Amino acid sequence: MQLIFHRVDLRLKHTFTIAHDSRDVQPSLLVELRDGELSGYGEATATRYYGITIDGMVEAIEPLRDRIEAYELADPAVFWAEMQPYLASNPFALCALDQAAWDLWAKRQQKPLYACWNLDPSRSPLTNYTIGLDTPDRMVSKLLEWPWPLYKVKLGRPDTDLDVMRALRAHTSARFRVDANCGWTAEQTLAFAPELAELGVEFIEQPLPATDWSGARQLAEQSPLPIIADESCIVESDVARCAGYFHGVNIKLTKCGGLTPARRMIATARSLGLRVMVGCMTESSVGISAIAQLLPLLDYADLDGSLLIANDPATGVTFNNGRVIYASENGTGARLML
């Protein structure tokens, strides 16, 4: 195999703001594993919150070049296990490499990856479209610009969050999810939840700081809406810890290290009675197409990253009113256009 890096700056259609970050450009690393006429693609984005940079990911993978290029890729899960000790401190880099390996492997099988896993795509949930944190008027404008049956609304400003949700509800009958990105207290969450439920909100994602486990326990016991862990569920061992503190978990491939551990996390969550969501980090169609292979295993999906960018460097899955449409190509369906 030949290892190739592609650095891209993904331009966002709108400034994307959450409780702890705001950005107009999303740097991303695309990893290509080329084997003759076949190429497998993976992706991981940079993030200030977790201290991940494009240079850092390249520097983590580069010392493994000879090992990777000489590797006989018979089983991507085994490949992940052999790479993980070297990339344990940079799961984002490991994720991009893992996605590329699964994509290439499935293309060798001449099947879509979900078919290689014996998954039924007809069981896939809808994906939401995200409305980034902004003034109420601007958030309404974003909603009206993109009609969708299901929105995830970024909140985290307790003084105005309910005003935002009231304003959005006045302009759509769509279902809502809200993500406070650690911006509330337990008391605020319990005060907001009844009205949020009346406004058609399905669940609240990570309202409290990741380390507030006593508050999480309180919400798990008292909230009228399900509480989904995000920042509190990063790696495999976090899933079991979330049982009893959350009603479900949001798994991010970049944070846990790729498709390989994500599949195990989903199985663990199911065994513990937790609901399962998989989200994105504003990836292009490369990363979104990889994540989409897990859809039949999920209760909730947040796969709108490629819809938020103006210069997608790839093709892959597409969307029809919230429904994910798989590409005709094998593997993850991603095809680089650079």
Side-chain angles (χ1 to χ4, degrees):
M1 297 187 293
Q2 182 183 3
L3 171 66
I4 303 169
F5 297 119
H6 305 275
R7 301 167 184 251
V8 295
D9 284 333
L10 306 175
R11 297 192 308 274
L12 303 183
K13 294 177 180 177
H14 297 284
T15 298
F16 191 75
T17 300
I18 58 179
H20 52 68
D21 189 24
S22 183
R23 60 191 182 275
D24 295 293
V25 174
Q26 174 61 70
S28 188
L29 177 68
L30 307 180
V31 171
E32 178 181 356
L33 294 177
R34 183 178 297 172
D35 180 19
E37 295 183 354
L38 298 178
S39 285
Y41 299 106
E43 181 176 13
T45 55
T47 170
R48 286 179 289 181
Y49 187 75
Y50 291 101
I52 299 296
T53 66
I54 303 302
D55 286 344
M57 286 190 281
V58 172
E59 290 167 4
I61 297 173
E62 187 60 47
L64 301 171
R65 177 176 292 276
D66 290 346
R67 185 185 296 266
I68 292 168
E69 294 190 334
Y71 196 88
E72 295 294 331
L73 185 62
D75 184 341
V78 174
F79 176 68
W80 183 93
E82 295 192 18
M83 295 296 111
Q84 192 275 338
Y86 301 98
L87 297 172
S89 63
N90 198 321
F92 284 63
L94 181 60
C95 171
L97 191 60
D98 179 69
Q99 289 180 4
W102 279 110
D103 186 25
L104 177 59
W105 176 81
K107 284 173 177 171
R108 288 176 176 174
Q109 315 309 308
Q110 300 182 1
K111 293 181 181 180
L113 181 53
Y114 67 79
C116 293
W117 290 339
N118 297 313
L119 299 181
D120 179 2
S122 69
R123 300 172 58 87
S124 301
L126 297 180
T127 183
N128 55 234
Y129 182 82
T130 302
I131 306 295
L133 190 60
D134 210 322
T135 65
D137 287 347
R138 290 178 179 173
M139 292 177 76
V140 167
S141 294
K142 293 175 185 178
L143 180 146
L144 295 175
E145 179 183 303
W146 200 274
W148 209 250
L150 177 61
Y151 294 99
K152 182 162 92 167
V153 184
K154 293 288 188 175
L155 300 177
R157 295 172 179 165
D159 292 343
T160 59
D161 284 339
L162 284 180
D163 291 334
V164 165
M165 296 308 301
R166 294 168 188 143
L168 294 174
R169 174 51 70 211
H171 290 85
T172 182
S173 60
R175 289 178 290 154
F176 289 135
R177 299 160 177 175
V178 300
D179 182 359
N181 279 113
C182 310
W184 296 344
T185 65
E187 291 72 22
Q188 288 168 335
T189 305
L190 290 174
F192 295 162
E195 183 171 353
L196 291 176
E198 292 179 1
L199 289 168
V201 172
E202 289 184 324
F203 62 74
I204 303 171
E205 185 179 339
Q206 196 69 46
L208 310 183
T211 56
D212 186 0
W213 291 96
S214 62
R217 172 76 79 177
Q218 181 182 3
L219 296 185
E221 295 173 349
Q222 300 179 23
S223 174
L225 286 174
I227 307 296
I228 307 298
D230 184 1
E231 285 84 353
S232 294
C233 186
I234 306 299
V235 296
E236 290 184 66
S237 59
D238 292 333
V239 177
R241 187 177 185 185
C242 286
Y245 293 87
F246 294 89
H247 303 104
V249 294
N250 184 8
I251 298 168
K252 302 283 183 66
L253 269 61
T254 50
K255 298 179 187 179
C256 72
L259 289 162
T260 299
R263 293 172 73 202
R264 295 195 295 259
M265 292 173 75
I266 292 169
T268 299
R270 291 293 185 207
S271 73
L272 295 169
L274 292 168
R275 305 179 194 185
V276 182
M277 179 178 183
V278 168
C280 62
M281 299 286 282
T282 323
E283 294 97 330
S284 75
S285 286
V286 170
I288 298 301
S289 296
I291 300 168
Q293 306 306 304
L294 299 170
L295 274 171
L297 299 173
L298 309 181
D299 298 302
Y300 312 120
D302 176 18
L303 305 187
D304 62 348
S306 59
L307 298 175
L308 303 177
I309 61 178
N311 61 329
D312 196 336
T315 59
V317 297
T318 55
F319 302 87
N320 181 11
N321 201 36
R323 181 71 59 188
V324 174
I325 310 299
Y326 289 98
S328 59
E329 288 86 356
N330 292 321
T332 67
R335 183 158 54 96
L336 205 59
M337 305 296 287
L338 296 173

